[in-house]
């Protein structure tokens, strides 16, 4: 049953029933028409209450129906118009969530009652579309244009208390929203309904409103870099100001179709479902997310209170997990403690503003220098800097101090998890948890399984990720794992582009116009150039260990760009030193300007090495960088380090600033067409045989030979996940 109806005296209660989130699928819409029609015609019924089963009102339209014929059967807006026109008062009882089409349905009701835990919102923009069942027309009529625009363009989930302040709901109750809605419905029987029909409200326009909307367009262009949905949302809201409700509705519909034609909604909806799929991990043994049990984590510890450690402590505390935070000496402990406490104060303030009590919503943090205090914790996350010997020393200690069933996690961004595990007496309990900086904000968590990591450890780490509000992706153990491994060929191409005549700002601009949050050079400046330099020095690619007579632009027979090394040798580490690929107002400054020093240096460098200059072509910049990423992604799939292309895309969308409206690097390759990607890489590699990273991956060739099947079919061509080192 997609919707049911019962009678509470003279109030009919219609309950949407489509677990798990009561999406408004075709069958639900049919059922709503039937039940609402019968309730309207039933002389015993004087008022109607609409709610959702399982304490969830509705998550909106069934996203899986978009692009299918099912969406064309029974329009949601027709249902909304019928409800709004009802002569009997209709009250929405909002429990849990009323999102997208779910909130649009509630807006068509004459009254809305929410429980205190509920969240409402119009998050369509996050999946590349706009509210298309009257939401862009009714919400501005209810709460005014500025507030409605904020809700629609940001797509955020609004807590009930804020929804009440904004005027989206009429009442918020601590207890049962359904009972309160039934009570309200009884109370308003016989009251006039005209003013409650939002489609009849007029918005008065003035020049300030026009300026406001124009400014919003400019802001959205900058903030959402190439995403079309936010702009369509603004245009739809603009229509609510100038047009009648029905004309506005028509505009909303047109905008929906023009968005669909851009391909962005399909990419964003792919990204939405890929994130959900990432949680459903599988293992080569046949074990899966739903066959293995995670252990509860009641207490945790974090070793190291640098930037990463601090963020991880905050994440755990926000998930209400008490944390023990350890540093190596009193001075560093004091610095770390201060920083963590100040971040915690900010979190507490946010909770207070949302009406929650910080002490019951944040896990306690205890600071210590004593490893002995870790004997009872359920899980430890080591977050010291990237040095194998240091990490091994810590894991030896942890292995002897922690209780036998405690999980030991390493927050390495690419070191060998098996080597770290090998120094413990419990390699099966050791697992990589690669957080992204700042760890309390970034959503991505790469969970790295070692050769001996147990299924329980995998289940526990993946479950912990979810509890921390992260998108956890299970990956195999290889140098740099998935995200950072793919970054190698990408940054290599970016450097070669500089050698061939481009400047950092040109490469960054091309990648930012493509939609990246940050181009490669801005990203390196932010992360710190010294990190990569240290690793290249350790590997003997630069510095004293490079054998005498090695050509400057060659290592082990392959092309090498020493540009970043030379910058580091000049003390240019990026933002932290105030100089890197850009110049900054001061060390630690955030605003980078093109630096004449870099320009001059690049010109001299090209002359010294007699490098042939390429004619400027931004499209070539994007192709070389993006295809280099995807090619490494295909190799990662071949190696079984990621189990499907969707996982790689989730990693890039959530950890590396890839534009979600392009789906991710693997989805992008698929949408460009695998034969074209292959052809471009083949041409490049033929002309540059000393750049092995651009040699087309075997899997890419295989899939291109099959004509480039849809991405969901790639899985069948990928081998079983194995660890390779
Ligand atoms: C001629 C053609 C005319 C066309 C005109 C178009 C007319 C269109 C009319 C109306 C349009 C309305 C627009 C919309 O309503 S779009 C949908 C807007 N809603 C959302 O974006 C909400 C998305 N969902 C979420 O944010 C979360 O899932 C949430 C509801 C908060 C629940 O989170 P959580 O508890 O963490 O659970 P999961 O995310 O894991 O979800 C559980 C399973 O439910 C699936 N799901 C969730 N939402 C939807 C949905 N809206 N449609 C379909 N399926 C949904 C999710 O994938 C999980 O499924 P599974 O377990 O199989 O992975």
């Amino acid at each position: 049953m997609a919707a049911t109806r019962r009678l509470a005296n003279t109030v009919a209660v219609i309950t949407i029933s489509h677990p798990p989130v009561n999406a408004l699928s075709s069958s639900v819409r049919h059922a709503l028409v039937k039940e609402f029609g019968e309730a309207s015609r039933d002389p015993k019924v004087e008022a109607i209450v609409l709610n959702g089963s399982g304490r969830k009102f509705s998550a909106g339209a069934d996203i899986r129906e978009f692009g299918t014929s099912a969406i064309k059967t029974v329009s949601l807006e027709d249902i909304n118009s019928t409800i709004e026109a009802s002569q009997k008062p209709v009250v929405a009882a909002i429990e849990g969530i009323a999102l997208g089409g779910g909130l649009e349905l509630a807006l068509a009701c004459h009254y809305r009652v929410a429980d205190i835990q509920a969240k409402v919102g119009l998050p369509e923009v996050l999946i590349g579309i706009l509210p298309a069942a009257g939401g862009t027309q009714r919400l501005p009529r209810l709460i005014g244009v500025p507030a409605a625009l904020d809700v629609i363009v940001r797509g955020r989930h609004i807590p009930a208390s804020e929804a009440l302040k904004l005027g989206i709901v009429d009442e918020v109750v601590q207890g049962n929203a359904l009972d309160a809605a039934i009570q309200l419905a009884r109370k308003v029987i016989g009251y006039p309904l005209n003013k409650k029909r939002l489609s009849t409200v007029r918005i008065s326009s003035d020049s300030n409103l026009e300026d406001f909307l124009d400014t919003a367009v400019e802001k959205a262009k900058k903030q959402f870099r190439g995403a079309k949905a936010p702009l369509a949302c603004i245009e739809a809201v603009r229509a609510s100001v100038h047009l009648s409700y029905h004309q506005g509705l028509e505009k909303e519909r047109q905008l929906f179709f023009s968005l669909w034609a851009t391909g962005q909604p399909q990419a964003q909806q792919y990204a939405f479902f890929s994130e959900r799929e990432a949680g459903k991990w599988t293992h080569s043994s046949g074990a899966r997310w739903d066959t293995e049990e995670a252990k509860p984590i009641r207490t945790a510890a974090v070793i190291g209170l640098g930037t990463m450690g601090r963020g991880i402590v905050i994440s755990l505390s926000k998930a209400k997990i008490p944390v023990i935070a350890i540093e190596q000496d009193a001075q560093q402990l004091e610095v770390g403690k201060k920083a963590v406490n100040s971040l915690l104060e900010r979190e507490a303030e946010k909770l207070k503003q949302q009406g929650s009590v910080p002490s019951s919503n944040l896990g306690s943090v205890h600071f210590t220098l004593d490893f002995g205090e870790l004997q009872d914790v359920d899980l430890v996350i080591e977050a010291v800097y990237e040095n194998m010997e240091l990490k091994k020393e810590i894991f030896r200690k942890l292995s002897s101090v922690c209780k036998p069933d405690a999980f030991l996690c390493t927050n390495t961004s690419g070191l060998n998890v098996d080597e770290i595990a090998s120094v413990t007496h419990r390699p099966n309990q050791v697992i990589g948890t690669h957080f992204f900086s700042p760890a309390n904000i970034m959503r991505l968590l790469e969970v790295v399984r070692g050769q001996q990591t147990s299924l329980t450890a995998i289940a526990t780490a993946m479950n912990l990720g979810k509890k921390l509000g992260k998108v956890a992706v299970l990956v195999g153990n290889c140098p740099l794992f998935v995200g950072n491994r793919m970054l190698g060929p990408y940054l290599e191409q970016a450097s070669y582009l500089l050698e061939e005549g481009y400047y950092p700002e040109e490469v960054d601009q091309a990648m930012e116009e493509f939609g990246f949050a940050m181009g490669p050079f801005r990203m390196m400046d932010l992360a710190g150039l010294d990190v990569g330099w240290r690793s290249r020095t350790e590997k003997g690619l630069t510095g004293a260990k490079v054998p005498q007579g090695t050509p400057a632009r060659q290592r082990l027979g392959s092309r090498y760009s020493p540009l970043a090394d030379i910058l580091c040798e000049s003390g240019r580490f990026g933002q932290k030193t105030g100089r890197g690929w850009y110049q900054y107002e001061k060390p630690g400054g955030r605003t980078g300007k093109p630096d004449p020093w870099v320009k001059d240096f690049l010109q001299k460098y090209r002359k010294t090495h007699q490098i042939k200059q390429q004619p400027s072509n931004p499209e070539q910049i994007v192709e070389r960088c993006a295809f280099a990423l995807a090619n490494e992604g295909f190799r990662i799939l071949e190696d079984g380090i990621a189990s499907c292309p969707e996982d790689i895309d989730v990693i890039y969308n959530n950890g590396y600033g890839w534009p979600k409206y392009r789906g991710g690097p693997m989805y992008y390759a698929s949408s460009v067409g695998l034969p074209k990607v292959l052809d471009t890489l083949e041409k490049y590699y033929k002309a540059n045989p000393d750049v092995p990273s651009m040699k087309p991956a075997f899997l890419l060739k295989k899939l291109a030979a099959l004509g480039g099947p849809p991405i969901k079919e790639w899985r069948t061509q990928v081998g079983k996940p194995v660890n390779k080192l």
Side-chain angles (χ1 to χ4, degrees), residues 516-527:
F516 263 96
M518 227 179 259
F521 296 103
R522 281 187 206 290
M523 185 187 79
M524 282 189 261
D525 269 4
L526 174 70

Side-chain angles (χ1 to χ4, degrees), residues 18-25 29 56 58-77 80 96-104 119 121-127 129-135 155 157 252-253 256-257 269 272-278 280 289 466:
H18 186 203
V21 292
N22 294 328
L24 302 168
S25 63
R29 299 195 305 275
K56 286 189 180 106
S58 167
D62 189 334
I63 302 169
R64 289 185 205 273
E65 280 187 358
F66 289 133
T68 73
S69 57
I71 194 79
K72 295 182 190 150
T73 67
V74 190
S75 124
L76 181 58
E77 169 46 24
N80 291 347
I97 43 164
L99 299 173
L103 180 59
E104 290 176 298
K119 291 203 169 150
L122 294 174
E124 285 87 341
V125 69
L126 306 177
I127 50 167
I129 55 172
L130 77 166
H157 295 187
E252 189 186 80
R253 201 178 151 81
F256 180 91
F257 285 117
Q269 287 159 30
F272 173 85
F273 287 116
S274 298
E275 275 180 27
R276 267 96 202 141
E277 283 305 305
K280 298 176 183 166
W289 62 285
K466 195 166 182 192

Side-chain angles (χ1 to χ4, degrees), residues 180-195:
I182 294 173
Q183 263 184 36
L184 178 66
R186 284 202 186 112
K187 194 172 116 190
V188 296
I189 290 168
Y191 280 30
L193 291 172
N194 269 352
K195 286 195 176 147

